[in-house]
Amino acid sequence: MPPRTTKPSQRVAVPEGAAGEACETGELTERPEERREQRGAALRATEGPFEVSVWPDQALVKSGESLVVNCSTNCPDPGPSGIETFLKKTQRAQWKEFLLEDVTKNSILQCFFSCAGIQKDRSLGITVYQPPEQVILELLPAWVALDEVFTVKCHVLRVAPLENLTLTLLQGNHELHRKTFMSLAVASQRAEVTIIAKAQREDHRCNFSCHAELDLRSHGGGLFHSSSASKLLQTFEFSQHPQIWVSPIMEVETAETVSCGMAQVFPAKELMFQIFFGDQELSPFLSWEGDTAWANATVRAMETGDQELSCLVSLGPMEQKTRELVHVYSFPPPVLEIEELYPLAGTDINVTSLLFDYREPQTSLPLGSPAWLLLTTREEDEAEIFSVRPLWRFRVNDKPRLEESGCPGNQTWMEGMEQKLACVPKGNPTPSLVCTWNGVIFDLQMPQKATQNHTGTYCCTATNQLGSVSKDIALTVQELNEDIISIVVVLIAALGIGIFSIALYFNYLPCKIERRKLPYRHKEENQEEERQFAVQAETCNAHDMTVK
């Protein structure tokens, strides 16, 4: 068989990437442009227009976290593709999956594909959210006077999106105010709410708090809740000055009771008292009634001279102080000196008593002149102890009393007349007396013009170092009608005439007595006495003529 001869082959340029296919088929491959046109025509003929999709269809991501986005197409031979975003991205799984890192702002992502010379894209809206983790409540001021305003402010740090936020201010479990941010312009939104209120008594020691709620259910998320720490509101009334009740004179080393009180104060039971006598702080015993509070303490002066008694009253950030000066005196016992300690019976001995001034221990100067006493001793005096008692006063201590005679439990005032509440305590040392009416200290020394408003029950408390006693006084104010006025006028007139008559009688009586004595005078009296009696008789006669 004759050898086979071949024709010289022609060299054909094969694009890179198509050589493998030509080797496998043993055929030369078309140009790339021709191949894409053929495939595009085949796609249009068999499947119709290609589609682009993105996953997820809506994206909700917490601020600062990452998001995986999947872009895909049904194009069998896609051309250039990707996503357009300002976020930092990393392509994963070749061309269809991307990781978006550190997402901090809302944005719109564009996913695009080209297929057979046609480009399509799909948008993805990315919503960034931040839960309300820090809810802060401000209550200013924490202590507020009655009828003054206070501010409650709540704000949330780093929360988004604001249009899904609701802030609620609470007083205890009661809702004070609710605020949503859906209708506000984005540029003017701040996650805060503020109310201003006037302080009332019922607001005292109330807790205020703030609750934040972020609702992301419309974005495919859930509900986020957070609350602030509670703040306590303190309301007060502190407009009066404290008063001190103390004797201006005090004996050294003798226990005395002092009192310090304050009226029209709220809350009275939270009032704090500090009582000082010089540099010594006393231990007070506290009492309350209505809007009045007072403190009693026992003081014992150890040094003579002028000492300052001070009372500091405080309520929250408020405090007031008052002072009183007390003079402390000393009255030491006398010193007894006996001339002979072992005298013989029937002999005379001298006893001397001296009273020293111990205010100056270094000198111990005697006060006044010494007292001497001469005694004749007797055998039975052996067991007796001689003592000298100076002429001074001593007292017997007694608890305070409010007896019916000095402090009647039922009293009546006449309307329109100047009246005082009658209540005099008994006891030793003299008790201090405090009377209150409707929670206010009532001034017993100042006369009051009686009105129907004075009708009521008054509580009087007498206190000294041995204790205290209280008594209720029911006061009634009677209307002063014309009949009573007439009776009062007649009584006053009669009383005036009686007093005037008594005065004339006692003024005229000595003259009558002297007249009766004149006829019985002895004739031996000298002429000077007779002249004096004559002058006195003429004076009495002249007085009688004037009276008639």
Side-chain angles (χ1 to χ4, degrees):
M1 183 174 188
R4 182 180 178 181
T5 59
T6 60
K7 296 181 180 179
S9 61
Q10 297 181 353
R11 299 182 63 88
V12 179
V14 179
E16 184 178 357
E21 184 178 351
C23 293
E24 293 176 0
T25 59
E27 298 178 356
L28 296 179
T29 305
E30 301 93 345
R31 297 178 182 273
E33 293 82 359
E34 296 175 354
R35 186 179 63 178
R36 282 197 295 270
E37 289 178 0
Q38 292 175 358
R39 289 183 178 179
L43 177 63
R44 288 191 294 272
T46 59
E47 299 182 3
F50 75 97
E51 297 294 336
V52 175
S53 62
V54 61
W55 179 90
D57 54 355
Q58 71 175 9
L60 182 67
V61 58
K62 186 176 180 180
S63 177
E65 294 187 352
S66 300
L67 174 66
V68 175
V69 177
N70 189 324
C71 290
S72 60
T73 182
N74 59 358
C75 178
D77 187 16
S81 62
I83 60 173
E84 293 181 358
T85 178
F86 62 85
L87 300 173
K88 179 182 179 182
K89 63 183 178 180
T90 301
Q91 184 173 352
R92 301 172 63 182
Q94 295 181 354
W95 49 265
K96 61 180 179 179
E97 186 177 85
F98 298 87
L99 175 65
L100 307 180
E101 301 180 53
D102 193 19
V103 182
T104 57
K105 294 181 180 181
N106 294 348
S107 62
I108 297 177
L109 177 147
Q110 298 287 342
C111 176
F112 66 92
F113 276 94
S114 296
C115 185
I118 300 174
Q119 180 172 310
K120 288 187 177 183
D121 57 46
R122 178 65 62 88
S123 298
L124 172 63
I126 300 176
T127 301
V128 176
Y129 76 95
Q130 177 64 49
E133 297 174 350
Q134 287 184 287
V135 183
I136 300 174
L137 181 76
E138 296 179 8
L139 184 61
L140 299 173
W143 282 82
V144 57
L146 294 181
D147 296 327
E148 297 293 331
V149 298
F150 64 97
T151 301
V152 184
K153 179 180 179 180
C154 174
H155 62 278
V156 186
L157 300 179
R158 296 182 300 275
V159 59
L162 285 182
E163 58 269 20
N164 296 94
L165 178 67
T166 300
L167 293 181
T168 306
L169 290 177
L170 301 171
Q171 181 176 355
N173 296 323
H174 172 67
E175 182 178 313
L176 289 178
H177 184 71
R178 178 186 294 264
K179 181 179 180 180
T180 59
F181 300 84
M182 299 179 61
S183 60
L184 300 180
V186 175
S188 63
Q189 286 190 25
R190 298 182 62 183
E192 67 178 33
V193 58
T194 303
I195 63 170
I196 299 176
K198 183 176 291 187
Q200 305 296 329
R201 288 198 176 205
E202 53 269 22
D203 296 329
H204 180 61
R205 300 193 67 82
C206 281
N207 282 311
F208 289 82
S209 61
C210 180
H211 182 75
E213 180 182 271
L214 186 66
D215 187 357
L216 299 178
R217 288 175 295 183
S218 60
H219 297 278
L223 277 172
F224 296 88
H225 301 272
S226 185
S227 296
S228 69
S230 297
K231 293 291 184 70
L232 188 68
L233 180 68
Q234 306 268 26
T235 63
F236 69 91
E237 184 177 7
F238 195 76
S239 58
Q240 302 294 317
H241 292 280
Q243 294 182 345
I244 290 179
W245 291 273
V246 62
S247 174
I249 300 176
M250 186 181 300
E251 186 177 356
V252 68
E253 297 185 1
T254 301
E256 297 283 352
T257 299
V258 298
S259 298
C260 178
M262 193 170 188
Q264 295 183 11
V265 60
F266 173 83
K269 289 191 176 182
E270 295 186 23
L271 210 61
M272 303 296 294
F273 287 89
Q274 286 183 288
I275 303 178
F276 296 89
F277 187 73
D279 296 332
Q280 175 188 3
E281 183 173 2
L282 308 181
S283 299
F285 176 76
L286 307 184
S287 301
W288 308 272
E289 183 177 346
D291 288 346
T292 301
W294 62 92
N296 297 327
T298 300
V299 60
R300 190 185 301 270
M302 305 307 296
E303 297 180 358
T304 60
D306 291 335
Q307 300 283 344
E308 182 182 84
L309 179 70
S310 62
C311 178
L312 177 66
V313 183
S314 60
L315 180 62
M318 309 295 295
E319 64 179 30
Q320 291 189 16
K321 189 174 185 179
T322 186
R323 302 175 177 86
E324 290 288 345
L325 200 62
V326 178
H327 179 72
V328 182
Y329 69 93
S330 174
F331 193 42
V335 177
L336 188 67
E337 297 180 354
I338 302 178
E339 182 181 41
E340 179 63 46
L341 293 178
Y342 304 100
L344 295 175
T347 61
D348 295 335
I349 61 172
N350 289 320
V351 179
T352 305
S353 176
L354 294 175
L355 186 63
F356 285 91
D357 184 1
Y358 287 105
R359 289 176 296 178
E360 299 292 341
Q362 295 82 1
T363 58
S364 297
L365 298 176
L367 298 176
S369 301
W372 289 279
L373 183 63
L374 182 63
L375 297 176
T376 300
T377 60
R378 299 171 299 174
E379 184 177 357
E380 56 266 26
D381 294 335
E382 181 178 356
E384 293 184 1
I385 299 176
F386 292 99
S387 65
V388 176
R389 184 176 63 191
L391 186 60
W392 59 355
R393 292 185 303 170
F394 69 95
R395 68 185 184 186
V396 178
N397 290 341
D398 194 8
K399 293 182 178 180
R401 305 187 307 279
L402 293 176
E403 298 179 351
E404 187 67 18
S405 59
C407 189
N410 293 284
Q411 301 184 27
T412 302
W413 287 3
M414 303 305 297
E415 186 175 18
M417 301 184 67
E418 296 287 335
Q419 303 281 356
K420 288 184 180 180
L421 195 66
C423 190
V424 179
K426 292 184 179 181
N428 205 1
T430 301
S432 62
L433 183 65
V434 177
C435 293
T436 60
W437 176 47
N438 293 334
V440 178
I441 294 180
F442 190 78
D443 192 349
L444 298 176
Q445 304 299 324
M446 180 67 67
Q448 306 285 331
K449 187 173 183 180
T451 65
Q452 291 298 326
N453 291 334
H454 287 99
T455 299
T457 301
Y458 296 73
C459 180
C460 293
T461 302
T463 305
N464 67 9
Q465 67 191 51
L466 301 179
S468 64
V469 63
S470 298
K471 184 176 183 179
D472 289 338
I473 299 175
L475 178 63
T476 303
V477 179
Q478 291 186 352
E479 294 183 1
L480 194 62
N481 54 37
E482 295 181 358
D483 294 338
I484 297 178
I485 294 174
S486 301
I487 295 173
V488 171
V489 172
V490 171
L491 291 176
I492 293 175
L495 182 62
I497 294 173
I499 294 173
F500 181 71
S501 300
I502 293 172
L504 288 179
Y505 173 76
F506 282 104
N507 193 24
Y508 180 68
L509 183 60
C511 296
K512 292 294 184 181
I513 294 174
E514 291 299 333
R515 284 185 187 179
R516 293 171 184 171
K517 289 182 179 180
L518 286 177
Y520 301 100
R521 294 290 182 181
H522 296 287
K523 295 179 180 181
E524 292 82 4
E525 291 180 349
N526 57 40
Q527 296 179 357
E528 179 63 26
E529 290 178 347
E530 293 178 354
R531 187 183 64 79
Q532 291 179 356
F533 280 120
V535 171
Q536 187 174 2
E538 291 177 1
T539 303
C540 290
N541 290 332
H543 179 72
D544 292 343
M545 295 295 292
T546 303
V547 173
K548 293 178 180 180

